[in-house]
Amino acid sequence: MYQKLKGTYDILPSESDFFRYVMQEVSSIAGLYGYKEIQFPILEYANLFQRGVGDSSDIVVKKEMYVFEDRGHRLVALRPEGTAGAVRLYIENGLHMSGHTQRLFYIGPMFRAENPQAGRYRQFTQFGFELIGDPSPDADVELIAINHHLAKRLGITGVTLYLNSIGCRECRPVYQQRLTEYLTSHKDGLCEDCQMRLTINPLRVLDCKEEICQRIVRQAPLQYEHLCEACQAHFEAVKASLTSLGIAFEIDPYLVRGLDYYNRTVFEFKSASLGAQSTFSAGGRYDYLVKDLGGMDTPATGFAMGMERLAMVIEASTGKKRTDFYRPPFVYVAGIGESLSQAVWQALSFLREHGISATTEFRYTQLKKHLKSADKLRSSYAVLLGEDEVQKGIWTLRNLQTGEQIQDSPAEIVAFLRAKKEKAD
Ligand code: HAM
């Protein structure tokens, strides 16, 4: 038997309405904030990502990218995240000419050859929001506010927003120097990964989860105590705006993020209900990336949310399972007897033309079997069509919860069902 690859997963028909609901809510929030959807390829030149996420990012260092040579000997990769592709789209299509800030969002699969565990997959889906062209602290705040709004809308509770500033190309090298000196003097006490990080990107040692490293990190000099005046002012303005909007946050001086392109504001939304992979949304400012990828000097900020983790948080917060979101076909049409196929088709079409979801089992002719199917599908009503109904041009409608039945013309029954459906929606 064929099996799916490790780190991938299937969405079953009983769960797909849940994922559709989440997608609709995210798209609806995107619309409310004026973010326009973009779509870009899953497959791009590998060097876009290499340059985009950076040589010292986990994705590159841990060789998490799915890279291969295509038939034309081009080195291509499955996108590990969306920001690099979104920025490539922005530059290649000259979106900077629009004369306004670009507010972009995307939904789609990303690929990382990570060690799979709960909430960590090799193929996962991200909702990403990118705001390109605005250097102001309020742009960072807008993205955080979107997360906040979405969490409220989806009934998510027990969420903490962690915030930090990692400075800019002016103040970061000075801090990095101090940090490197400190960590080098404690090198022997660091885990193996961090000894390597120390030479590649010492900042990443700060968010190592190993207890031995954390002990050393707790005494390390902190970036936000070494910000230049401009970064300090930016960070203060972000905090002030969040406070005035009533969005609670915690400063996490060890938050540095696993991708290289960030500067100034970085943030993560975590939920205690997620266990080890507690971050379900993360992002920050990336003022250098557009230029680094060949565009004009353009400030930008954004975040991405993992759909799988978001789904886990929703389940934990609301107590609802993903299968609870299943939306059955509203009506089941039962042809009772032989040669009723035409009548069944007519009924199905009439219902669907009036916006009522309807299905049947073409292979059954007996009421008992039809009712069993309708029950399994969890439909609310069944239209029963026998010889008698066909001859009289009427339908028998059965309420599948109560067993109550009425007979009427198709037009009257459809009007009745539409009213019921509106109430149920
Ligand atoms: P990231 O922190 O790498 O950032 O990923 C963002 C979110 O994607 C994570 O918080 C998590 O919910 C989800 N995620 C990441 N890796 C996995 C995985 N292996 N399995 C399941 N979910 C995962 C970015 O990707 C940046 N592009 C975010 C961004 C946009 N920054 C600025 N703009």
Side-chain angles (χ1 to χ4, degrees):
M1 191 160 76
Y2 294 109
Q3 289 184 335
K4 58 188 174 297
L5 284 172
K6 196 170 150 193
T8 65
Y9 63 92
D10 298 321
I11 293 180
L12 302 180
S14 55
E15 306 168 313
S16 54
D17 286 330
F18 170 67
F19 288 102
R20 189 186 317 206
Y21 155 75
V22 177
M23 288 204 187
Q24 275 168 353
E25 290 301 302
V26 177
S27 304
S28 150
I29 290 277
L32 284 179
Y33 285 79
Y35 282 68
K36 289 288 162 206
E37 185 172 352
I38 51 169
Q39 294 190 13
F40 44 88
I42 289 170
L43 200 60
E44 301 250 16
Y45 284 107
N47 64 5
L48 168 71
F49 301 122
Q50 181 98 19
R51 189 77 207 271
V53 300
D55 285 336
S56 62
S57 66
D58 281 348
I59 291 173
V60 172
V61 174
K62 294 190 184 164
K63 298 192 170 41
E64 288 173 357
M65 219 155 37
Y66 285 96
V67 183
F68 56 95
E69 207 180 272
D70 73 1
R71 278 170 30 176
H73 304 294
R74 286 165 288 252
L75 203 59
V76 295
L78 296 178
R79 61 185 185 195
E81 58 103 54
T83 309
V87 168
R88 200 263 314 131
L89 174 151
Y90 173 89
I91 299 168
E92 193 172 342
N93 294 280
L95 296 192
H96 64 282
M97 305 285 279
S98 69
H100 61 79
T101 298
Q102 288 291 325
R103 287 179 163 85
L104 312 171
F105 97 105
Y106 47 86
I107 301 176
M110 309 290 162
F111 301 82
R112 294 183 196 176
E114 296 199 73
N115 249 351
Q117 48 181 280
R120 189 190 277 183
Y121 298 93
R122 290 183 175 167
Q123 178 179 338
F124 57 98
T125 298
Q126 273 189 348
F127 305 115
F129 286 67
E130 313 291 354
L131 193 161
I132 306 181
D134 188 338
S136 70
D138 283 316
D140 301 343
V141 171
E142 178 171 294
L143 292 157
I144 292 171
I146 290 174
N147 276 278
H148 190 72
H149 195 159
L150 191 62
K152 202 166 149 198
R153 180 105 159 228
L154 294 169
I156 295 176
T157 52
V159 165
T160 310
L161 160 63
Y162 293 94
L163 196 64
N164 193 18
S165 174
I166 57 167
C168 64
R169 284 186 176 165
E170 299 295 315
C171 55
R172 203 168 2 168
V174 181
Y175 166 68
Q176 208 151 320
Q177 175 69 27
R178 287 207 52 194
L179 179 68
T180 309
E181 281 164 17
Y182 169 80
L183 292 175
T184 308
S185 68
H186 293 81
K187 188 174 175 189
D188 294 342
L190 295 172
C191 76
E192 224 172 274
D193 272 0
C194 283
Q195 295 199 5
M196 193 174 77
R197 284 182 186 132
L198 191 51
T199 50
I200 302 169
N201 182 0
L203 284 174
R204 291 306 317 283
V205 176
L206 295 178
D207 71 351
C208 178
K209 305 286 176 284
E210 296 291 334
E211 180 52 34
I212 48 165
C213 298
Q214 286 193 0
R215 248 180 282 146
I216 293 170
V217 161
R218 263 178 238 132
Q219 310 298 322
L222 299 173
Q223 169 76 71
Y224 83 99
E225 291 167 347
H226 294 80
L227 295 176
C228 62
E229 236 172 81
C231 287
Q232 184 68 41
H234 188 100
F235 196 36
E236 290 308 319
V238 169
K239 292 190 283 184
S241 255
L242 289 174
T243 305
S244 76
L245 286 171
I247 299 177
F249 58 87
E250 275 186 32
I251 302 295
D252 178 356
Y254 305 110
L255 179 64
V256 290
R257 311 278 300 118
L259 304 159
D260 289 359
Y261 47 62
Y262 293 109
N263 67 299
R264 291 196 170 162
T265 317
V266 288
F267 61 88
E268 291 189 353
F269 280 84
K270 295 192 180 198
S271 161
S273 64
L274 282 180
Q277 303 304 317
S278 57
T279 305
F280 64 91
S281 182
R285 183 158 279 286
Y286 54 97
D287 292 331
Y288 309 115
L289 186 63
V290 180
K291 191 160 181 222
D292 285 351
L293 291 180
M296 315 239 287
D297 205 355
T298 312
T301 179
F303 74 87
M305 199 177 262
M307 185 183 71
E308 300 74 11
R309 291 191 200 168
L310 185 60
M312 287 162 78
V313 186
I314 295 171
E315 285 179 302
S317 300
T318 61
K320 281 192 190 164
K321 293 194 294 289
R322 42 192 81 178
T323 47
D324 293 340
F325 290 78
Y326 167 75
R327 288 171 68 91
F330 196 54
V331 176
Y332 182 97
V333 176
I336 305 151
E338 302 294 334
S339 313
L340 289 171
S341 155
Q342 219 184 326
V344 167
W345 267 112
Q346 272 174 3
L348 287 168
S349 302
F350 195 61
L351 287 160
R352 291 167 185 162
E353 273 160 20
H354 288 86
I356 296 169
S357 62
T359 189
T360 188
E361 287 281 8
F362 292 114
R363 62 201 168 121
Y364 293 150
T365 54
Q366 293 169 11
L367 178 65
K368 212 170 135 194
K369 285 201 167 164
H370 277 307
L371 290 181
K372 219 168 165 184
S373 268
D375 187 48
K376 290 239 163 87
L377 284 163
R378 308 206 326 241
S379 292
S380 301
Y381 290 90
V383 167
L384 311 182
L385 293 176
E387 281 297 331
D388 191 41
E389 280 85 359
V390 173
Q391 262 172 24
K392 291 185 187 151
I394 56 164
W395 288 357
T396 297
L397 184 74
R398 182 181 178 104
N399 180 321
L400 291 167
Q401 267 81 57
T402 63
E404 264 175 90
Q405 291 194 175
I406 53 167
Q407 279 194 329
D408 216 325
S409 68
E412 286 299 323
I413 289 198
V414 160
F416 172 84
L417 286 171
R418 279 174 65 98
K420 290 284 178 197
K421 190 172 155 288
E422 256 164 46
K423 233 171 140 189
D425 289 344

